[in-house]
């Protein structure tokens, strides 16, 4: 299981800070009243580092651009250029903002609007430093016109225009890239430092220029350098944060941005197609753009194909989290003659997100694949057969399955022991371990992880699947009652052909 190096206390403190709007400058909320395919779609920034995910053309950059246009320093044409008669749809575009700026209103938020009417943008935008890192940041040095004069055998700069990396830059880059950048330099091509060339050094001490850097390596150094010298409480916008980066480097970059949000009180928005970029973030920090709707909540990026209808399947199930997905997969496998290969299950990491995605999916006229939502027994969301929202038994899924299996130990204990990679004859020891774990574990979500630890570092997913599958095998009547709603939404030819 992924464990971020950012402390939970830091995440919670930043959530509270954003919730109370305890900033000198902060973009609290935007409403896309009418922009491209969006109509009255709100996006609140409940955490100072926000990820925008979605399919290509879903509107990620639209949200990023709308945020940028809140401030005077950014020209709207940077994101929303009009090309004569070919962009007639821009007429009457409108974006509303809720902002914090203590130099304008010391006690509360204030509102502004940006509109496009009569072929021009109209707005009363406040001041704020805004840094924009577009996808062009990963263009190799040998393709950047401002560096072409450096590609010469006689190129050099005076010693007073060569700067070592400041400690904070060196430490941050080293951690993100997983390599020591001691000895790296910035060469100022002009005295004002507006254009620079980077140089590095190998482990053996051989120097090399940015022309031999990897695209990700160069972009990280320049991005971090720009952020570190920027004003506190600046707004940072990053397109496709994972471009040119290894998945681990992507995670470390997002963790660095969370540190910046805490240390420099900055606000960061980035777009991504990467699951790794989402891992360090809380659910409130993630928004999904789907061409005409925007949803808040953490999910697996792969599930976007289901949300937008880009799937080769006959039915979709949205569930709350990973364990519920494991349980529902067990239900389908054990269901009599159920066409498992025609159904996809997607964990949304939250009951509200699962319900919202199911509602959107079934209402969207372009999607011909039906879906249902299965919520946990302790969910505060309402089950509703008409809306295809169904509830699992028990209050906590993990506790319900765990307790039911232990109670049926006499009939399935030996099988469970083998499924947990133990000897059949050691089932009494396995049972004692399960009982001990149940007594000592306060959080039901940790039951399977703790059993795995006690029995020899067995992966949590292995333990979860063993419990869920054996429960399903032992309870065929409950299984059938739970999967019957899904049978009802399958196309008749699929449902009948498999019975």
């Amino acid at each position: 299981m992924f464990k971020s190096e950012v402390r939970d206390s830091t995440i919670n403190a930043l959530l509270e800070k954003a919730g109370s709007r305890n900033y000198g400058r902060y973009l609290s909320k935007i409403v896309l009243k009418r922009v491209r395919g969006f109509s009255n779609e709100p996006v609140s920034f409940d955490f100072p580092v926000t990820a925008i995910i979605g399919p290509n053309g879903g509107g990620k950059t639209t949200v990023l651009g709308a945020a940028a246009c809140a401030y005077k320093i950014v020209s709207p044409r940077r994101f929303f250029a009009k090309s004569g008669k070919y962009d007639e749809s821009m007429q009457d575009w409108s974006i509303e903002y809720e902002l914090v700026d203590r130099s304008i209103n010391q006690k509360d938020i204030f509102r502004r609007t940006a509109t496009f009417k009569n072929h021009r943008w109209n707005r009363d935008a406040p001041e704020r430093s805004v840094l924009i890192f577009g996808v062009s940041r990963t263009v190799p040095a040998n393709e950047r016109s401002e560096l072409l004069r450096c590609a010469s055998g006689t190129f050099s700069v005076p010693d007073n225009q060569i700067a070592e990396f400041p400690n904070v830059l060196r430490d941050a880059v080293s951690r993100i890239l997983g390599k020591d950048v001691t000895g790296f330099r910035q060469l100022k091509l002009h005295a004002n430092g507006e254009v620079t060339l980077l140089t590095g050094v190998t482990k053996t001490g051989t120097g090399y220029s940015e022309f031999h850097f990897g695209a990700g390596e160069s972009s990280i150094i320049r991005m971090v350098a720009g952020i570190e010298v920027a004003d506190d409480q600046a707004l940072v916008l990053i397109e496709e944060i994972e471009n040119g980066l290894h998945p681990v480097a992507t995670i470390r970059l997002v963790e660095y941005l969370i540190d910046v949000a805490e240390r420099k009180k900055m606000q960061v928005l980035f777009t991504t197609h990467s699951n790794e970029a989402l891992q360090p973030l809380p659910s409130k920090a993630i928004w999904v753009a789907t061409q005409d709707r925007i949803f808040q909540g953490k999910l697996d990026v792969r599930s976007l194909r289901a949300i937008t209808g880009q799937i080769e399947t006959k039915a979709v199930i949205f569930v709350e989290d990973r364990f519920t997905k494991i349980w529902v997969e067990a239900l389908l496998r054990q269901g009599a003659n159920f066409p498992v290969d025609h159904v996809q299950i997607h964990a949304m990491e939250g009951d509200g997100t699962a319900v919202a995605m199911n509602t959107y999916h079934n209402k969207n006229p372009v999607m011909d694949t039906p879906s249902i939502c299965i919520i946990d027994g302790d969910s505060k969301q309402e089950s509703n057969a008409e809306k295809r929202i169904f509830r699992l038994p028990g209050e906590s899924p993990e506790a319900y399955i765990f307790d039911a299996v232990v109670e049926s130990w006499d009939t399935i204990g030996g099988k469970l022991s083998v499924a947990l990679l133990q000897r059949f004859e050691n089932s009494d020891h396995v049972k004692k371990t399960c009982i001990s774990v149940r007594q000592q574990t306060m959080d039901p979500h940790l039951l399977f992880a703790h059993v795995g630890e006690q029995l020899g570092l067995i992966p949590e997913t292995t333990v979860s699947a063993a419990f869920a599958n054996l429960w399903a095998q032992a309870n065929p009547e409950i299984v059938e009652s739970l999967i019957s709603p899904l049978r009802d939404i399958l196309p008749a030819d699929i449902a009948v052909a498999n019975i």
Side-chain angles (χ1 to χ4, degrees), residues 291-305:
Q291 293 185 331
D292 60 346
R293 292 291 307 280
I294 305 177
F295 302 95
Q296 185 179 36
K298 182 176 285 191
L299 50 75
D300 189 303
V301 171
R302 289 181 290 270
S303 66
L304 288 173
R305 297 179 66 244

Side-chain angles (χ1 to χ4, degrees), residues 64 123 173 246 252 254 263 310 313 324 333 467 469:
L64 205 72
R123 57 184 181 146
V173 170
H246 184 276
R252 299 297 175 239
V254 176
R263 177 165 48 88
Q310 302 170 27
T313 188
T324 307
R333 281 194 294 269
F467 271 81
N469 281 298

Side-chain angles (χ1 to χ4, degrees), residues 21 24-29 70-71 96-113 124-127:
R21 303 184 178 108
R25 288 188 174 89
Y26 194 79
L27 176 58
S28 184
K29 181 179 181 180
Y71 296 101
E96 294 182 353
Y97 301 96
E98 291 184 4
L99 305 121
V100 174
D101 190 323
R102 299 309 175 200
S103 67
I104 297 175
N105 189 318
Q106 294 185 359
K107 297 182 179 181
D108 203 357
I109 63 168
F110 62 96
R111 293 174 173 80
R112 291 287 188 269
T113 301
D124 179 16
E127 301 282 355

Side-chain angles (χ1 to χ4, degrees), residues 399-414:
Y400 176 82
I401 292 294
F402 193 96
D403 292 342
V405 168
V406 173
E407 288 172 5
S408 303
W409 198 270
D410 290 343
T411 57
I412 63 176

Side-chain angles (χ1 to χ4, degrees), residues 179-210:
K179 63 181 293 183
D180 185 6
V181 293
T182 302
F184 280 49
R185 303 287 187 270
Q186 291 176 307
L187 311 184
K188 298 179 182 179
L189 304 190
H190 303 288
N192 59 16
E194 289 183 357
V195 180
T196 61
L197 179 74
L198 302 174
T199 65
V201 61
T202 66
K203 292 180 178 180
T204 60
T206 303
Y208 60 97
S209 75
E210 190 174 357

Side-chain angles (χ1 to χ4, degrees), residues 244-493:
L245 296 181
H246 184 276
V248 174
T250 301
I251 293 172
R252 299 297 175 239
L253 175 56
V254 176
E255 291 176 337
Y256 162 75
L257 295 173
I258 294 173
D259 171 69
V260 165
E262 180 185 36
R263 177 165 48 88
K264 292 174 66 76
K265 300 179 177 63
M266 285 185 167
Q267 184 175 7
V268 183
L269 279 67
F270 65 82
T271 64
T272 187
H273 295 100
S274 165
N275 273 323
E276 286 75 20
L278 308 182
Q279 289 183 347
L281 297 174
S283 184
K284 284 188 174 182
I286 299 166
W287 287 86
V288 185
T290 62
Q291 293 185 331
D292 60 346
R293 292 291 307 280
I294 305 177
F295 302 95
Q296 185 179 36
K298 182 176 285 191
L299 50 75
D300 189 303
V301 171
R302 289 181 290 270
S303 66
L304 288 173
R305 297 179 66 244
I307 296 167
T308 56
Q310 302 170 27
I311 48 177
E312 296 178 2
T313 188
K314 299 299 182 181
V316 176
I317 304 176
F318 295 109
V319 298
E320 289 190 31
D321 55 31
R322 289 177 298 170
F323 177 71
T324 307
K325 180 181 178 182
I326 290 172
W327 187 5
V328 173
E329 287 173 341
L331 294 174
L332 301 189
R333 281 194 294 269
Q334 299 304 323
N337 299 311
F338 194 87
V340 178
D341 55 332
H342 291 289
V343 179
Q344 289 189 4
I345 307 170
H346 298 281
M348 295 288 104
E349 299 198 29
D351 56 349
T353 306
V355 169
M357 293 303 175
N358 179 65
T359 301
Y360 171 75
H361 187 97
N362 285 321
K363 285 185 176 181
N364 194 324
V366 304
M367 299 182 189
D368 55 8
T369 303
S371 74
I372 69 170
C373 176
I374 299 179
I375 55 178
D376 294 350
D378 60 353
S379 171
K380 295 182 180 179
Q381 303 291 325
E382 293 184 3
S383 53
N384 187 316
E386 291 185 1
K387 295 181 179 179
R388 298 176 180 169
I389 304 171
F390 304 94
R391 187 179 299 273
L392 289 169
E395 291 188 1
S396 163
E398 291 87 352
Y400 176 82
I401 292 294
F402 193 96
D403 292 342
V405 168
V406 173
E407 288 172 5
S408 303
W409 198 270
D410 290 343
T411 57
I412 63 176
K415 292 182 179 179
L416 179 65
S417 298
V418 174
L420 295 178
L421 312 181
Q422 310 297 305
R423 292 181 179 275
F424 183 90
E425 55 268 26
N426 290 343
S427 63
D428 287 344
H429 169 69
V430 176
K431 181 180 180 181
K432 290 178 181 178
T433 299
C434 291
I435 293 173
S436 175
V437 166
R438 187 68 172 99
Q439 291 172 340
Q440 298 178 31
T441 303
M442 297 181 63
D443 183 355
H445 296 92
L446 301 177
L447 285 170
F448 301 118
H450 288 175
V451 168
E453 292 170 1
Q454 294 290 324
L455 293 178
L457 301 179
I458 304 171
E460 179 183 358
T461 53
T462 300
V463 180
S464 301
F467 271 81
N469 281 298
L470 284 167
W471 176 89
Q473 291 174 18
N475 295 277
E477 293 182 0
I478 301 177
V479 168
E480 187 57 34
S481 68
L482 292 174
I483 67 174
S484 60
L486 186 56
R487 290 190 191 278
D488 294 339
I489 69 169
L490 285 171
D493 57 334

